[in-house]
Amino acid sequence: MFDRKTARYVSLLADFWVSLGSGTHYVYSAYGPQLATQLGFTATQSSVIATLGSVGVYFTGPPAGVIIDRKPPHIPIIIGGCLILFGYMMMRFAYVSELRSVAFVGIFMVIASAGNTFAYHACVKCAAMNFPHKRGTATSIPVAGYGLSALFFSQIGNAAFPGDTGRFMLMIPLLASGLVFLGLPFVRNVPLDKIVDSEVAVAPEIEDLETDALLRHTRTNESASTGDMKSKEGTYSAMTEFEREASVNGASSSGESMVDEIILPVDEEVDIHGWALFKDFRFWIHFTIFGLLSGCGLMYILSAGYVLRALFTYSNPYISPNDLQKNQAIQVSLVSSFSFIGRIVAGYSADRLSRKGYQRMWVIVASACIFAFAQIGGLTITSSRFMWFISIFNGIGYGFLFGSYASIISELFGLKRFSENYGFVTVATVVGSDVFAFAFGAIYDGNSYFIDPATLDMMPGGYDSTVPYNSTYEYFNGTMRRFGSQVGQVCDLGRDCYRNAFIITLPGAIIAGILALCVIYYENRRIAQESAAIDDVDEIVTIEAE
């Protein structure tokens, strides 16, 4: 139906479309407090459900990666769409039936989130395969769609079903699975064409590509002998000559090299996977960095509703549920929209840095700095009017992290087993979000007290979430006495309800930034040593030739 070049761009657009329906995990903060209200869950119990969603998303990564790396993309996308539909429909059933079971809701949160991973990771791998020399920019497209999902769903839900959480929770599975299945026919791996042309001038970008190719080449041959180096130097020369020919034939009017048309020789691609991956200390460094930064971001993303609840309860205890839900949707939209922008900018910036001879990890350093500012905002902001600062900085930091790490992992460990390897790295998110989200829930609960929804009196023994309550006592004389009176849980300390959680996450962001700088220093030193070794080989070859 399309020529190969057009088919790749159509597939990239479909990757975005499917990923847009696969990021529903981040929508939780838009309905999480209302779900907890309906089912009588505490903040800690709500954090457990959110964390189980993270478990579904990230622990599914490795097994989903095995399928994605071995099967065409439509197989995991179909699996993902079915799991999303089934999981969220059962969560909605629990909501409307007032089925007060954290385990029940959590299990189906895991199932729905696993569906997100199958569909989303298939799209990222497909984008990387179709544009192997523009991986950062290409993978940032589905990654951005994934991040934009929360804005997309929260805004539609807020406009179509204001204050109606039940209908909002019905919209999520129907619309999400619809987007996934709608883009399914167009997501496919398109074979790349080898381009052959006559001798032509070298485009300016090719010098950067030659440098990048040499660095990729030397990474895979740290233990090569002198003879091996001679042989591979010849391969490098042939490869760059092929790139010269291909670049001009595929150049755009702006002079930008269409290097996505080129296929690297198979033996030039890094391929680290399985036990070799776990034995590589670089994997564990990236695992730690990713876990710390994604944990900082997810703690806020999944708990933003409670932050808003605390600030509003302190300054405006009579806010109506509709107004609260609107404000929740605003914060979710801010996080999602700036995460979308961050992912696009990060992917493109990572590619540009790589072409200019810099490391992609500088984007991660920027992400760590942005996250640190967000945590400082959480520590200092006392009014809900300024909560946009925390949301925007968390969104940008999260976008920078996810927008660049896919290309970092594919470049470091290879594209052949990319989905599997990336899945293992993203498991770190579960560790980070577990620690930080549970800390947030425990701190929030520790600063809360409980009010009987019927009498509006304080309950001395705490609130028993297994005892049904009459939700008609939501209002008292036409207004709410306290925000928490709807479910019995109240924290009227404002920022102090959760402040200590940000005291925990701030050092996490700083440590991640320091580790990222250490990675940059190590890689620069290693590349310099390998370049010196190749120069020594050149000198030996010259002497022997003479």
Side-chain angles (χ1 to χ4, degrees), residues 18-27 53 56-58 60 64 68 76-77 79-85 88 109-123 146 149 153 172 176-177 180:
V18 172
S19 297
L20 185 64
S22 304
T24 49
H25 171 56
Y26 296 129
V27 190
V57 168
Y58 300 109
T60 310
I68 293 166
I77 291 175
I79 294 172
C82 293
L83 293 178
I84 290 170
L85 180 62
Y88 282 118
M109 184 67 160
V110 170
I111 291 173
S113 299
N116 288 335
T117 297
F118 271 93
Y120 167 60
H121 279 206
C123 292
Y146 189 74
S149 182
F153 282 92
I172 292 175
S177 60
V180 170

Side-chain angles (χ1 to χ4, degrees), residues 293-325:
L293 294 181
S294 61
C296 290
L298 267 182
M299 186 202 76
Y300 177 77
I301 290 171
L302 300 178
S303 305
Y306 285 96
V307 173
L308 193 67
R309 169 183 292 208
L311 295 178
F312 265 120
T313 301
Y314 183 73
S315 60
N316 183 17
Y318 301 103
I319 186 172
S320 70
N322 284 357
D323 289 340
L324 175 74
Q325 194 161 16

Side-chain angles (χ1 to χ4, degrees), residues 142-349:
V143 167
Y146 189 74
L148 191 65
S149 182
L151 170 65
F152 180 76
F153 282 92
S154 63
Q155 287 303 306
I156 291 179
N158 188 50
F161 316 114
D164 191 339
T165 305
R167 294 173 70 186
F168 178 62
M169 291 185 70
L170 177 62
M171 177 205 72
I172 292 175
L174 296 179
L175 183 56
S177 60
L179 289 171
V180 170
F181 291 126
L182 188 64
L184 174 63
F186 304 100
V187 178
R188 61 192 185 97
N189 295 325
V190 183
L192 301 180
D193 296 321
K194 289 186 179 180
I195 303 173
V196 180
D197 200 359
S198 58
E199 289 281 341
V200 286
V202 180
E205 289 84 355
I206 293 302
E207 293 180 6
D208 299 323
L209 285 170
E210 289 177 346
T211 302
D212 185 54
L214 178 59
L215 299 185
R216 276 201 312 273
H217 167 73
T218 55
R219 271 198 294 270
T220 63
N221 299 284
E222 293 182 7
S223 61
S225 64
T226 300
D228 289 334
M229 285 185 175
K230 293 179 195 175
S231 171
K232 290 187 180 297
E233 261 193 303
T235 304
Y236 161 69
S237 300
M239 180 181 65
T240 52
E241 181 63 29
F242 174 70
E243 286 179 348
R244 287 190 184 98
E245 295 174 359
S247 65
V248 176
N249 189 55
S252 65
S253 58
S254 62
E256 185 72 24
S257 170
M258 296 298 290
V259 293
D260 53 286
E261 301 287 345
I262 304 164
I263 304 176
L264 276 177
V266 175
D267 62 350
E268 293 300 319
E269 281 289 349
V270 184
D271 184 15
I272 301 174
H273 64 277
W275 286 112
L277 181 73
F278 297 123
K279 292 176 183 178
D280 194 324
F281 82 97
R282 295 174 300 174
F283 166 78
W284 294 108
I285 295 295
H286 286 285
F287 186 92
T288 303
I289 293 171
F290 199 88
L292 288 171
L293 294 181
S294 61
C296 290
L298 267 182
M299 186 202 76
Y300 177 77
I301 290 171
L302 300 178
S303 305
Y306 285 96
V307 173
L308 193 67
R309 169 183 292 208
L311 295 178
F312 265 120
T313 301
Y314 183 73
S315 60
N316 183 17
Y318 301 103
I319 186 172
S320 70
N322 284 357
D323 289 340
L324 175 74
Q325 194 161 16
K326 287 179 182 178
N327 280 279
Q328 283 178 220
I330 290 172
Q331 300 307 319
V332 171
S333 299
L334 284 173
V335 172
S336 183
S337 57
F338 280 90
S339 175
F340 168 79
I341 295 170
R343 290 169 193 240
I344 293 290
V345 171
Y348 178 77
S349 299

